[in-house]
Amino acid sequence: AGVGAQYDSEVVYHNVKAEVAAQGVVYTDIESALNGPYAEMVRTHFMKLVPPTDHKFAALHGAVWSGGSFVYVPAGVSVEIPLQSYFRLNAPGAGQFEHTLIIVDKGAYLHFIEGCSAPKYNVANLHAGCVEIYVGENARVRYSTIENWSKNMYNLNTKRAKVEKGGTIEWVSGSFGSHTSCLYPMSILAGEGARMEFTGITFAGAGQDLDTGAKVVHAAPNTSSHITTKSIARDGGVSNFRSSVTVLPNATGSKSAVSCESLMLDDRSRSDTIPEMDIRCDAVDVGHEAKIGRISEEAVFYLMSRGMSEEDARALIVGGFAEPIAKAL
């Protein structure tokens, strides 16, 4: 059955690859790209957004990276079907260092979905992958990721996008696993009118410390960013939100809005909001809103008075809290 499933997935991959290739789209593994006609494009962009000097895990990644995806979408091409990669770590005590490189040219569109998981082992595993996204002028990229690592995983992933004039990057992120996560996708709004949207949800249970959020640099006039996150902590889990908004002196007319909501399901869990804003320009509009709290016992009592069990009442409240972002995932 396993062989059949693998064969089916390979057939689907080659069919999708052929379908998008008819539009001039390159969709392949990064090793193949390095040995094909796009080798020079890969070398020009590879680890330029996330240089090895960025931090020690970027240096480690640059030294030992292996595997990953390469996507190139030519100018004016709209890829109607989402492209997808799935990474699974299958060895105890191992590290995973895949590299994803996406280049979307002028006026093009791409939705890329990435999934990550690992079985549970009794020793620590490390994931230090890297994602680099180049969004061309008036192009749009939607990057969705669901990370459901096991609770022995240290997830220290680095993701970064550079957006040119009139371009848009949309991040949709779900973080549900790992022992420890530090994940803050970064957007550099390099061209006038560039946009960034980040939508994320994090769930931390027993033994989990998830530190997630987003970073944005407004480096051009009339750029905009919108960060919306929700986090849930239970059974002593820790779920922290961390954001960084930087507006450079020449980014006049820019707008940024940050909104985060955290829900703690018991008195042992913890959730903190840690925003950082570095505003070097007067003519901008920047705002931050945070809400942290517990489930209202009055709301639970009300639902129970309508015939629901306490467990169902709490599940309904949590579901309603997560629904807007869960729909995006």
XYZ file of all heavy atoms in Angstrom, residues 94-153:
473
model
N 18.132 13.576 14.375
C 18.608 14.154 13.116
C 18.248 15.630 13.007
O 17.447 16.163 13.777
C 18.011 13.390 11.932
N 18.863 16.292 12.032
C 18.518 17.667 11.700
C 17.984 17.726 10.279
O 18.361 16.915 9.440
N 17.109 18.669 10.039
C 16.566 18.857 8.683
C 16.837 20.293 8.261
O 16.563 21.230 9.001
C 15.066 18.566 8.669
C 14.475 18.578 7.261
C 13.002 18.219 7.283
O 12.230 18.804 8.022
N 12.611 17.242 6.490
N 17.380 20.459 7.044
C 17.851 21.771 6.617
C 17.430 22.035 5.173
O 18.244 22.418 4.334
C 19.379 21.858 6.752
C 19.887 21.494 8.109
C 20.301 20.200 8.404
C 19.939 22.448 9.111
C 20.767 19.871 9.667
C 20.411 22.119 10.382
C 20.817 20.830 10.651
N 16.157 21.824 4.860
C 15.716 22.032 3.481
C 15.659 23.520 3.142
O 15.475 24.371 4.021
C 14.349 21.377 3.245
C 13.139 22.203 3.609
C 12.873 22.278 5.099
O 13.511 21.542 5.865
O 12.005 23.079 5.501
N 15.818 23.824 1.861
C 15.841 25.219 1.403
C 14.785 25.395 0.311
O 14.782 24.672 -0.682
C 17.220 25.583 0.846
C 17.404 27.061 0.679
N 18.110 27.821 1.590
C 16.967 27.926 -0.274
C 18.111 29.098 1.200
N 17.421 29.176 0.073
N 13.890 26.359 0.508
C 12.854 26.667 -0.477
C 13.158 28.028 -1.096
O 13.308 29.019 -0.380
C 11.456 26.693 0.182
O 11.180 25.397 0.729
C 10.386 27.041 -0.834
N 13.252 28.060 -2.424
C 13.531 29.295 -3.152
C 12.414 29.528 -4.166
O 12.177 28.698 -5.035
C 14.885 29.199 -3.863
C 15.309 30.396 -4.720
C 15.396 31.669 -3.881
C 16.638 30.103 -5.409
N 11.699 30.661 -4.011
C 10.569 30.985 -4.880
C 10.820 32.346 -5.516
O 11.073 33.329 -4.813
C 9.247 31.007 -4.082
C 8.969 29.615 -3.486
C 8.088 31.461 -4.954
C 7.787 29.587 -2.527
N 10.745 32.396 -6.846
C 10.927 33.648 -7.581
C 9.703 33.851 -8.468
O 9.426 33.036 -9.356
C 12.206 33.615 -8.446
C 13.428 33.329 -7.560
C 12.381 34.922 -9.203
C 14.691 33.020 -8.337
N 8.945 34.904 -8.195
C 7.728 35.191 -8.958
C 7.937 36.528 -9.663
O 8.080 37.570 -9.021
C 6.491 35.219 -8.033
C 5.242 35.556 -8.822
C 6.331 33.873 -7.338
N 7.934 36.475 -10.988
C 8.301 37.645 -11.791
C 7.158 38.656 -11.899
O 6.052 38.444 -11.388
C 8.743 37.188 -13.185
C 9.941 37.958 -13.701
O 10.044 39.152 -13.363
O 10.762 37.383 -14.434
N 7.423 39.716 -12.584
C 6.519 40.867 -12.704
C 5.100 40.460 -13.102
O 4.888 39.749 -14.081
C 7.100 41.826 -13.752
C 6.356 43.125 -13.921
C 7.088 44.024 -14.910
C 6.368 45.359 -15.098
N 7.099 46.245 -16.027
N 4.111 40.904 -12.310
C 2.703 40.697 -12.641
C 2.203 39.270 -12.544
O 1.085 38.968 -12.964
N 2.986 38.354 -11.950
C 2.588 36.946 -11.871
C 1.930 36.645 -10.523
O 1.933 37.473 -9.604
C 3.808 36.050 -12.078
N 1.353 35.418 -10.406
C 0.676 35.010 -9.170
C 1.014 33.560 -8.861
O 1.046 32.700 -9.752
C -0.836 35.147 -9.286
C -1.582 34.462 -8.157
C -1.600 35.004 -6.872
C -2.235 33.240 -8.360
C -2.248 34.367 -5.824
C -2.888 32.593 -7.310
C -2.896 33.162 -6.048
O -3.521 32.529 -5.008
N 1.233 33.268 -7.561
C 1.501 31.903 -7.120
C 0.960 31.700 -5.715
O 1.108 32.561 -4.851
C 3.016 31.636 -7.106
C 3.461 30.301 -6.483
C 3.060 29.124 -7.371
C 4.963 30.291 -6.222
N 0.350 30.525 -5.495
C 0.013 30.082 -4.138
C 0.845 28.835 -3.866
O 0.706 27.830 -4.567
C -1.480 29.770 -4.006
C -1.871 29.363 -2.612
N -3.103 28.814 -2.317
C -1.210 29.415 -1.428
C -3.165 28.550 -1.015
N -2.030 28.902 -0.462
N 1.698 28.910 -2.861
C 2.572 27.792 -2.517
C 2.223 27.307 -1.119
O 2.120 28.097 -0.180
C 4.041 28.232 -2.569
C 5.013 27.082 -2.480
C 5.346 26.361 -3.614
C 5.585 26.728 -1.267
C 6.245 25.296 -3.545
C 6.479 25.672 -1.185
C 6.816 24.953 -2.329
N 2.059 25.985 -0.984
C 1.681 25.377 0.290
C 2.821 24.475 0.755
O 3.321 23.659 -0.019
C 0.393 24.547 0.164
C -0.763 25.420 -0.335
C 0.025 23.900 1.497
C -2.008 24.620 -0.692
N 3.205 24.629 2.019
C 4.280 23.806 2.559
C 3.809 23.155 3.845
O 3.256 23.824 4.725
C 5.509 24.666 2.820
C 6.788 23.854 3.034
C 8.026 24.738 2.916
O 8.543 24.877 1.801
O 8.443 25.289 3.942
N 4.010 21.862 3.950
C 3.641 21.125 5.159
C 4.861 20.461 5.765
O 5.765 20.020 5.049
N 4.920 20.395 7.100
C 6.067 19.800 7.795
C 5.563 18.939 8.948
O 4.665 19.347 9.686
C 6.994 20.874 8.363
S 7.527 22.128 7.196
N 6.166 17.756 9.120
C 5.816 16.927 10.273
C 6.963 15.968 10.571
O 7.903 15.832 9.787
C 4.514 16.139 10.021
O 4.737 15.119 9.064
N 6.869 15.286 11.715
C 7.870 14.285 12.106
C 7.256 13.356 13.129
O 6.444 13.778 13.953
C 9.114 14.959 12.685
N 7.623 12.060 13.093
C 7.168 11.146 14.146
C 7.876 11.460 15.456
O 8.902 12.146 15.484
C 7.589 9.762 13.615
C 8.721 10.048 12.694
C 8.462 11.390 12.093
N 7.345 10.955 16.546
C 7.914 11.250 17.861
C 9.047 10.272 18.180
O 8.905 9.070 18.053
C 6.842 11.156 18.947
C 7.360 11.575 20.315
C 6.244 11.653 21.339
C 6.789 12.140 22.676
N 5.741 12.244 23.693
N 10.182 10.838 18.578
C 11.306 10.044 19.046
C 11.628 10.442 20.485
O 11.128 11.438 20.992
C 12.540 10.274 18.160
C 12.337 9.861 16.719
C 12.276 10.809 15.701
C 12.218 8.518 16.371
C 12.102 10.443 14.387
C 12.033 8.137 15.058
C 11.983 9.098 14.065
O 11.799 8.721 12.767
N 12.516 9.677 21.121
C 12.884 9.970 22.505
C 14.097 10.885 22.621
O 14.591 11.141 23.708
C 13.167 8.657 23.259
C 11.906 7.834 23.422
O 10.828 8.391 23.624
N 12.033 6.521 23.326
N 14.590 11.373 21.488
C 15.723 12.297 21.489
C 15.326 13.550 20.718
O 14.371 13.550 19.941
C 16.969 11.659 20.843
C 17.484 10.521 21.709
C 16.664 11.173 19.437
N 16.090 14.615 20.938
C 15.768 15.892 20.302
C 16.120 15.872 18.812
O 17.136 15.310 18.405
C 16.514 17.023 21.002
N 15.252 16.481 18.015
C 15.505 16.692 16.588
C 15.527 18.189 16.311
O 14.881 18.972 17.014
C 14.415 16.033 15.737
C 14.632 14.539 15.571
O 15.216 13.896 16.437
N 14.161 13.996 14.467
N 16.234 18.581 15.258
C 16.368 19.991 14.908
C 15.871 20.234 13.490
O 16.237 19.503 12.559
C 17.829 20.438 15.014
C 18.172 21.828 14.452
C 17.483 22.921 15.269
C 19.680 22.045 14.435
N 15.031 21.264 13.343
C 14.629 21.720 12.010
C 15.092 23.163 11.851
O 14.635 24.054 12.562
C 13.108 21.634 11.848
C 12.635 22.163 10.527
N 11.762 23.221 10.416
C 12.936 21.790 9.260
C 11.541 23.472 9.136
N 12.244 22.625 8.420
N 16.034 23.389 10.933
C 16.548 24.735 10.678
C 16.514 24.985 9.167
O 17.545 25.149 8.523
C 17.961 24.895 11.233
N 15.300 24.971 8.627
C 15.120 25.207 7.202
C 15.185 26.686 6.862
O 15.348 27.545 7.740
N 15.047 26.986 5.577
C 15.118 28.368 5.118
C 14.191 28.542 3.915
O 14.144 27.691 3.026
C 16.553 28.719 4.740
S 16.773 30.428 4.206
N 13.444 29.633 3.912
C 12.554 29.966 2.797
C 12.890 31.371 2.321
O 12.927 32.317 3.122
C 11.068 29.904 3.228
C 10.160 30.337 2.079
C 10.696 28.504 3.700
N 13.148 31.519 1.014
C 13.404 32.821 0.416
C 12.408 33.037 -0.719
O 12.279 32.196 -1.612
C 14.831 32.900 -0.128
C 15.896 32.781 0.948
C 17.301 32.878 0.384
O 17.681 31.973 -0.394
O 18.001 33.854 0.695
N 11.692 34.168 -0.663
C 10.654 34.464 -1.660
C 10.937 35.831 -2.268
O 11.056 36.833 -1.555
C 9.253 34.444 -1.027
C 8.990 33.104 -0.325
C 8.185 34.705 -2.087
C 7.686 33.046 0.441
N 11.017 35.858 -3.590
C 11.212 37.114 -4.318
C 9.926 37.426 -5.075
O 9.509 36.667 -5.964
C 12.379 36.991 -5.300
C 13.717 36.831 -4.630
C 14.172 35.576 -4.222
C 14.543 37.929 -4.394
C 15.405 35.422 -3.599
C 15.782 37.790 -3.777
C 16.208 36.531 -3.388
O 17.430 36.381 -2.780
N 9.285 38.547 -4.704
C 8.014 38.943 -5.304
C 8.280 40.128 -6.241
O 8.669 41.207 -5.782
C 6.979 39.330 -4.229
C 5.632 39.644 -4.873
C 6.835 38.204 -3.204
N 8.065 39.931 -7.523
C 8.359 40.960 -8.515
C 7.343 42.092 -8.521
O 6.342 42.081 -7.784
N 7.575 43.062 -9.367
C 6.707 44.230 -9.471
C 5.280 43.814 -9.829
O 5.057 43.051 -10.775
C 7.271 45.167 -10.546
C 6.575 46.509 -10.641
C 7.255 47.437 -11.637
O 8.494 47.401 -11.721
O 6.532 48.181 -12.327
N 4.316 44.280 -9.018
C 2.884 43.990 -9.212
C 2.563 42.492 -9.192
O 1.508 42.079 -9.670
C 2.380 44.602 -10.522
C 2.431 46.116 -10.492
O 2.106 46.743 -9.493
N 2.869 46.719 -11.596
N 3.455 41.688 -8.640
C 3.189 40.245 -8.504
C 2.544 39.976 -7.149
O 2.535 40.835 -6.261
C 4.485 39.459 -8.634
N 2.016 38.754 -7.003
C 1.368 38.384 -5.737
C 1.721 36.942 -5.398
O 1.618 36.056 -6.249
C -0.145 38.544 -5.856
C -0.901 38.177 -4.577
C -2.394 38.478 -4.712
N -3.176 37.684 -3.780
C -4.216 36.935 -4.092
N -4.621 36.876 -5.349
N -4.865 36.252 -3.183
N 2.139 36.729 -4.159
C 2.464 35.387 -3.678
C 1.714 35.129 -2.383
O 1.712 35.963 -1.477
C 3.983 35.224 -3.431
C 4.275 33.865 -2.808
C 4.761 35.385 -4.730
N 1.085 33.973 -2.314
C 0.440 33.509 -1.080
C 1.201 32.263 -0.630
O 1.279 31.279 -1.373
C -1.031 33.186 -1.337
C -1.811 32.765 -0.088
C -3.262 32.476 -0.480
N -4.064 32.005 0.634
C -4.774 32.785 1.448
N -4.757 34.089 1.260
N -5.487 32.267 2.421
N 1.769 32.342 0.554
C 2.581 31.236 1.062
C 1.914 30.686 2.323
O 1.827 31.376 3.348
C 4.000 31.736 1.378
C 4.920 30.662 1.909
C 5.701 29.898 1.061
C 4.994 30.416 3.283
C 6.539 28.903 1.554
C 5.823 29.428 3.785
C 6.595 28.683 2.917
O 7.412 27.700 3.406
N 1.420 29.465 2.231
C 0.708 28.838 3.352
C 1.561 27.710 3.916
O 2.118 26.908 3.151
C -0.642 28.266 2.895
O -1.444 29.263 2.313
N 1.651 27.642 5.218
C 2.427 26.555 5.820
C 1.739 26.041 7.074
O 1.194 26.821 7.864
C 3.855 27.021 6.160
O 4.565 25.947 6.766
C 3.854 28.187 7.134
N 1.749 24.719 7.224
C 1.243 24.081 8.442
C 2.366 23.222 9.000
O 2.838 22.297 8.346
C -0.011 23.224 8.165
C -1.153 24.113 7.681
C -0.418 22.468 9.416
C -2.427 23.366 7.379
N 2.812 23.567 10.196
C 3.902 22.839 10.834
C 3.338 22.075 12.024
O 2.893 22.672 12.998
C 5.001 23.808 11.272
C 5.613 24.552 10.081
C 6.893 25.278 10.427
O 7.221 25.369 11.628
O 7.571 25.735 9.492
N 3.346 20.750 11.904
C 2.780 19.898 12.947
C 3.858 18.917 13.409
O 3.717 17.706 13.286
C 1.557 19.158 12.405
C 0.762 18.499 13.518
O 0.848 18.889 14.672
N -0.006 17.486 13.168
N 4.953 19.484 13.905
C 6.063 18.655 14.360
C 5.695 17.903 15.640
O 4.811 18.311 16.388
C 7.288 19.526 14.652
C 7.803 20.306 13.489
C 7.750 21.666 13.318
C 8.464 19.794 12.335
N 8.344 22.018 12.135
C 8.782 20.900 11.500
C 8.818 18.507 11.916
C 9.445 20.754 10.291
C 9.478 18.373 10.708
C 9.786 19.465 9.917
N 6.428 16.811 15.924
C 6.253 16.120 17.199
C 6.936 16.921 18.304
O 7.712 17.838 18.046
C 6.844 14.708 17.110
O 8.199 14.775 16.722
N 6.663 16.547 19.548
C 7.076 17.385 20.671
C 8.533 17.200 21.098
O 8.931 17.665 22.160
C 6.137 17.148 21.855
C 4.732 17.679 21.609
C 3.854 17.539 22.829
C 2.446 18.040 22.555
N 1.572 17.902 23.733
N 9.326 16.518 20.288
C 10.765 16.444 20.558
C 11.549 17.331 19.583
O 12.775 17.271 19.533
C 11.261 15.001 20.430
C 10.974 14.453 19.039
O 9.819 14.390 18.628
N 12.006 14.078 18.304
N 10.852 18.165 18.820
C 11.470 18.947 17.753
C 11.796 20.373 18.199
O 10.967 21.050 18.828
C 10.517 19.004 16.552
C 11.013 19.833 15.384
S 12.410 19.073 14.547
C 11.570 17.713 13.725
